Structures are given as structure tokens and as C-alpha cells.
Amino acid sequence: MELWRNKHSRLVIVATIASIPLTPLLLKGLSLLYGDWKSLSDISQAYGFLSVIFSGAALIGVATSIAFQARQTSISNEEERRAALRELILTSINNPEFLVCWQPSRSALSESLARQLYFTHLIVIQWYSDYLLKRANDESMRVQLALHFKGERAREHWVDRAADWREYAEASGDARQIRFTDLMDEAFENAVVDGPPIAASAYFAPAPDNA
């Protein structure tokens, strides 16, 4: 793809492909000019070898295109699945009576706290999706998660969900899912060592007194 984006490379590729059907005419002209049929035969054999090379290159190009389309389809399907999950979670947050339709928490939660933890879960799912689709690497995730686990709700969410994430990732056998869970555990443990989280009640300054 990078090769095709280059203007000069495109000209070379197009000129090379266009020259293939003109080769027989060139060979005929050479035979009239020199009358050396043995040399012409040698040239024809060389042309046949080049045809094999170009045919192989074309086949590789088709295979690469198919593989690229398959990956794009997989990414599109994954994004649609994540979008559907996000919609379900948002519906539950906006309609708390649906929260009981999900798996129960490992600890007793108030309705308000449960909604906050589900929203935190939604944020983590977005990062998880980006990581699976390779839009984020280990280092960028470490930076993001180090900031994430400074918050009280972020830590409470992982305390409640870490075991479930680990169980699901290992059951899937997907190395990247397992690696994401490892990164979450690593960032959480580092945050705990660094000290207590910022309390949710301390996120915002008091409202100004208008009196």
C-alpha cells in the first residue's frame, strides 16, 4: 500500500504492466530488424519467464487483498459487537431496574455505586477493544491505565471484576485478551503500591457560593 501511494512507484508499476501485452510486437520488430530467429527464441523464453514472475506477483497481490478484506470484515464485526454491548450497558445505567439482569456483583453495592461501576466497565471495554484491534500497544495502555487507577471507582471496579476478566480471558485462549488482563492487574497493583486513590467525592471543587 505504501508503495502504491508513491507517485513514481505507481508510474513504474503501471508502465511495467502495460509493457507486457506489447512485448510480442516488440519481438516481431526485432525479428524484422535483425532476422536472427535464434536470438528471438531466446528473447521469447526470457519473456515467458517474466510472465511467470508477473503472474506470481499478481496472485500474491490477490491473496494479500483477500487477507486485508478478511481482516477489515473481522474488525467491522468486532466493532458492531462492542457497539451492541455498549448500548446494553448504557440502557441498564439509564434504567437501573435492568441492572439485576447482569451478573451479580461480588460485594453488596448501592444502586448508585453499581451504575458508576458499570459505567467504569464500559470505559474499560473501550480500551480493551482498542487493544484487541491493535489500535493501542502495551506502552500506551500502561500510560492510560496508570491514570485510570488513580481513581477510587476504577479500583473498586477492578476489585469486583478482575477475577471474571481473568477467567474469561484464559477460557478464550486468546493471547491478546490474556495480555490485556495482565496489563490491568499490573497497573492496579502499581497503583495500590503508590498509595490510596483519589476519592470520588474529591474529584470536583465545591460549588461556588452565589450568595
Side-chain angles (χ1 to χ4, degrees), residues 34-98:
Y34 296 104
D36 187 348
W37 291 101
K38 183 178 183 304
S39 297
L40 181 60
S41 176
D42 293 340
I43 295 172
S44 297
Q45 291 179 16
Y47 173 70
F49 175 72
L50 289 175
S51 296
V52 172
I53 293 177
F54 282 119
S55 296
L59 183 60
I60 292 173
V62 171
T64 301
S65 177
I66 292 174
F68 177 77
Q69 291 177 9
R71 172 166 172 73
Q72 290 301 108
T73 299
S74 176
I75 290 174
S76 178
N77 290 340
E78 177 68 17
E79 289 178 337
E80 288 179 3
R81 191 171 76 86
R82 297 293 174 196
L85 180 59
R86 285 194 295 271
E87 185 64 27
L88 284 173
I89 294 176
L90 285 173
T91 299
S92 300
I93 292 172
N94 293 328
N95 301 273
E97 65 270 22
F98 296 147

Side-chain angles (χ1 to χ4, degrees), residues 176-194:
R176 203 155 179 86
Q177 292 187 28
I178 294 172
R179 181 57 183 157
F180 180 82
T181 307
D182 290 341
L183 290 170
M184 289 287 291
D185 280 339
E186 174 190 304
F188 174 80
E189 291 166 4
N190 290 340
V192 171
V193 170
D194 286 343

